[in-house]
Each structure stands twice: as structure tokens, then as C-alpha cells.
Amino acid sequence: MQSSNPVFQRSDGFNGRGQTYPASGMRYPAYGTPSAPTGGVTQPPTYVDQGRMTLDSVVQKTGITMGLVVLVAALTWILTPAVVNSSGETTAQSGQVAALWIGGAFVGFALSLVLSFRKVISPPLVLAYAVAEGVFIGAMSKWFETIWPGVVVGAVIGTVAAGAGTLAAYKFFNISVSPRFRKWVVAAMIGFVAVTLLDLVLGFFGADLGFNGLGGLGFVMSILGLGLGVLMLILDFDYVEQGIRVGLPERDSWRAAFGLTVTIIWIYIEMLRILAILRGD
């Protein structure tokens, strides 16, 4: 079954393109290099089992990646200067926080594109992505919390609740992910990202439409984004389940962790924006 998710579509195992595993005849990714011919006769391929992806390995890698995001975000929050002073006025150093916010977002986005289209997942790049997103999340969260106290705690609780609720619904209601469902969700995600990027570029010329703003249109976009995040999380759970079923190598746990991290951060950002808009004057 071929995946439409750009995070997973470069993986042979997630798309059923792996080599045949000798013991069962099922389609698995190759675990090693076929042995060289001996005496002019081609020997059957032999594989060195490097271990397979399991639910524990996915949870472990996701924990490492998300833990790094949280750690870097906390350090960014602590080490950056105050956004406003005691009088409620923006400080001269607030530009440093804004620069980290924007810089982390762009670096994280660039790394996510690289990782999404790499055929072989790179754990160092996944960790680099986590660092970039940690800087972005830490700076953004500090700015929002300064202006609207309490929104960060609310966004964290909302993100945990959304993730737990989606997982519970996926398991208890035995949600089936069809190819058509995947295509619609991925198409909607690409369209959403394209619209927000276009609005961001227009904003540089003072002609933005408000999709990224904190007004009425921004609120509608964040609600749509949150809904998309939940649907993407369902796709992530399905991809992990499929990967474990076909016996992907343990290294692909990093790909699963990357996909889950992208979605969790997506949900957190939309939660943060929704709460900030609701708290706005």
C-alpha cells in the first residue's frame, strides 16, 4: 500500500517496495547486502538482521526527539531577553526573540523538506530539525506568553489532550485509513501550507490577507489547521502500524518519530494561536 504522506513516501517499507524476506515470502525491506557468487553459482541472498521497528522503538525515538524540542525551547525561553519591560513596553532586545522565532521556523521548515524527500532517513538531521523547532517554539511561546499569560500552559494541555484523544479514537473505534482518505488529507495539508506561505510572502510587502494574523480570518485558519493536525495524526498512527506490520528496520523508527514530531508541533502551534486570539482584546 503506497503512502501519500511526503514524510513516509520515500520509505520502501511504508510503500511495500521492500525485498522478499526469505523465511516467509512476505515483502520486507532488505536487512543487508546479498552475498557474492561462489564458484560461478549465484548463492541465495543472505541478510543480516539489524532489528526491526517496534512500537517501543518508535516511542523511544519520538521521546528523544520531542524531549530535545522541549529542552531547546526551554533554554531559548530562559536565555533570551525579556520581550516587554515593567511598563509593558517592547524592549530593544525583543528583536532577538523575533529573529530566533523566524529563523527557527525557516530552518525547521527547510530541514523538514529535506527529511521528507530523503529515501534513507538521517537521525542526525532529525535531531537537527528538533533543535531548530525547539528554538522556534521557545521564542514564539515566550512572546505569546508575555502578551497573553497562560496561553502556553493551555496550548500544552490542549496538545496532549488532542494527541491522547486521537490515539484513543484510532484504537477503540478501529479507524480505517483508506487511500482516498490519505490523498484528501495530504492535499488539504499541502494547500494549507501553500496558502499560509503565500500570505507570509505578501506580508513582507504589506499586502497580507490575514491568514497568519490574529483576527477573524486567522482564527478560522487555525481551527482548520487544528482539524488537519488531528487528521494527520491519524495518518501517522496508521503509517507506524503499517511499518511495524511489514517489519521495517529499526532505523525507520526515526522516520516515524520525525513524522509524529512534525504533527505534534503543528497541533501545538494552532492551539497556541487559537488561545491567543480568544484572549485578545
Side-chain angles (χ1 to χ4, degrees), residues 101 136 140 144 148 151 155 192 196 199 210-223 225 266-280:
W101 176 355
F136 162 53
M140 180 182 183
F144 273 58
W148 301 284
V151 294
F192 185 91
T196 53
D199 192 55
F211 291 122
N212 296 313
L214 298 178
L217 190 54
F219 182 74
V220 172
M221 286 295 290
S222 289
I223 293 293
W266 177 301
I267 292 174
Y268 172 77
I269 292 171
E270 299 304 337
M271 284 281 188
L272 193 62
R273 282 173 46 81
I274 290 171
L275 292 176
I277 293 171
L278 292 176
R279 288 282 304 276

Side-chain angles (χ1 to χ4, degrees), residues 173-209:
F173 295 104
N174 196 24
I175 296 176
S176 178
V177 178
S178 66
R180 186 172 184 178
F181 176 79
R182 286 190 197 87
K183 290 179 181 179
W184 277 106
V185 173
V186 174
M189 177 192 69
I190 294 173
F192 185 91
V193 172
V195 168
T196 53
L197 285 177
L198 175 62
D199 192 55
L200 180 64
V201 172
L202 290 175
F204 292 143
F205 302 96
D208 63 284
L209 302 175

Side-chain angles (χ1 to χ4, degrees), residues 11-110:
S11 171
D12 287 345
F14 278 111
N15 292 290
R17 296 193 297 262
Q19 296 186 12
T20 302
Y21 192 71
S24 62
M26 295 182 66
R27 302 286 291 179
Y28 289 115
Y31 291 108
T33 304
S35 58
T38 303
V41 179
T42 302
Q43 298 296 320
T46 58
Y47 299 90
V48 178
D49 193 347
Q50 299 174 353
R52 301 182 191 175
M53 185 174 82
T54 64
L55 183 58
D56 286 343
S57 68
V58 172
V59 171
Q60 181 189 52
K61 300 303 187 298
T62 305
I64 293 172
T65 307
M66 285 304 305
L68 187 56
V69 171
V70 173
L71 175 62
V72 174
L75 290 175
T76 302
W77 185 313
I78 294 170
L79 298 177
T80 51
V83 176
V84 298
N85 56 28
S86 57
S87 302
E89 299 173 340
T90 303
T91 64
Q93 294 81 16
S94 62
Q96 299 176 21
V97 180
L100 290 173
W101 176 355
I102 297 172
F106 276 106
V107 173
F109 181 70

Side-chain angles (χ1 to χ4, degrees), residues 105-195:
F106 276 106
V107 173
F109 181 70
L111 287 173
S112 70
L113 290 178
V114 173
L115 285 163
S116 295
F117 294 101
R118 279 182 64 95
K119 189 175 182 63
V120 178
I121 193 66
S122 169
L125 281 182
V126 174
L127 296 178
Y129 166 79
V131 171
E133 288 298 295
V135 172
F136 162 53
I137 292 296
M140 180 182 183
S141 298
K142 181 171 185 174
W143 195 290
F144 273 58
E145 183 68 17
T146 301
I147 301 174
W148 301 284
V151 294
V152 169
V153 174
V156 170
I157 294 174
T159 302
V160 172
T166 305
L167 178 59
Y170 177 79
K171 298 303 292 184
F172 295 144
F173 295 104
N174 196 24
I175 296 176
S176 178
V177 178
S178 66
R180 186 172 184 178
F181 176 79
R182 286 190 197 87
K183 290 179 181 179
W184 277 106
V185 173
V186 174
M189 177 192 69
I190 294 173
F192 185 91
V193 172
V195 168

